[in-house]
Amino acid sequence: NASSGFSIVTYTGTGSSGATVGHGLGVAPGFIIVKQRIAGPGTDLYNWNSYHSSLGATKFIALNTTGAAVTAPLFNDPAPPSTVFSLGSSTGTYNNVNNANGVTYVAYCFAPVAGYSSFGSYTGNGSSDGPSVFTGMRPRWFLIKKSSGTENWRVHDTARSSYNVMQAL
């Protein structure tokens, strides 16, 4: 649904760097999560590999780990344009694969929509007051992950913390 800035696509890996996958958003995605659908012979299902526009196309961060962002060719430069995202040829480095030949994947693609969704980054200041982050709206839900080091993912939402400042769950 391009108007809500979200699409789900499936594809079969080619093993070749530069292979592209249409995302159907009509604008550049801010966040993409890719997951291998079926384990190959002698393999696990690997991580939930995530592209984020603030990290660039040569880094990824695994949604299911506490690890920092990693430089690896899972996504290919340049950053995704309005029609496709480009895959690298990684074949298992860091227990991650986005484009193994003949393997099927699902990708969840998100694009910013004014007043509805936003994707960005900030630099912490070490203060309990923290930096102010402008999103252009009052978010009802957001996900945070430290990209420069090991840290848990944090989810904040207004359903369980209904007033400012929301508490991490």
Side-chain angles (χ1 to χ4, degrees):
N1 184 338
S3 63
S4 66
F6 178 63
S7 74
I8 301 172
V9 297
T10 59
Y11 66 94
T12 301
T14 65
S16 299
S17 182
T20 60
V21 177
H23 54 65
L25 293 170
V27 296
F31 190 50
I32 302 171
I33 304 166
V34 175
K35 180 73 169 97
Q36 185 174 329
R37 294 178 68 198
I38 300 172
T43 65
D44 295 323
L45 284 176
Y46 298 114
N47 291 327
W48 293 79
N49 302 325
S50 301
Y51 158 84
H52 192 281
S53 56
S54 68
L55 294 174
T58 60
K59 290 187 176 185
F60 77 94
I61 195 162
L63 191 62
N64 60 305
T65 74
T66 60
V70 176
T71 299
L74 299 182
F75 296 98
N76 214 17
D77 259 344
S82 63
T83 55
V84 299
F85 60 93
S86 182
L87 300 169
S89 61
S90 181
T91 57
T93 305
Y94 307 107
N95 194 32
N96 294 281
V97 175
N98 276 10
N99 192 23
N101 189 34
V103 176
T104 58
Y105 299 88
V106 61
Y108 303 92
C109 307
F110 301 87
V113 174
Y116 182 72
S117 62
S118 179
F119 304 90
S121 65
Y122 68 92
T123 301
N125 63 10
S127 168
S128 62
D129 194 22
S132 177
V133 179
F134 181 74
T135 63
M137 65 190 156
R138 184 174 193 276
R140 294 193 42 89
W141 181 93
F142 63 94
L143 178 68
I144 299 172
K145 170 69 173 89
K146 179 180 180 181
S147 62
S148 62
T150 302
E151 187 67 49
N152 289 325
W153 290 83
R154 296 187 179 269
V155 173
H156 298 262
D157 68 27
T158 59
R160 290 172 278 194
S161 183
S162 58
Y163 50 89
N164 206 6
V165 170
M166 289 186 270
Q167 298 298 310
L169 302 174

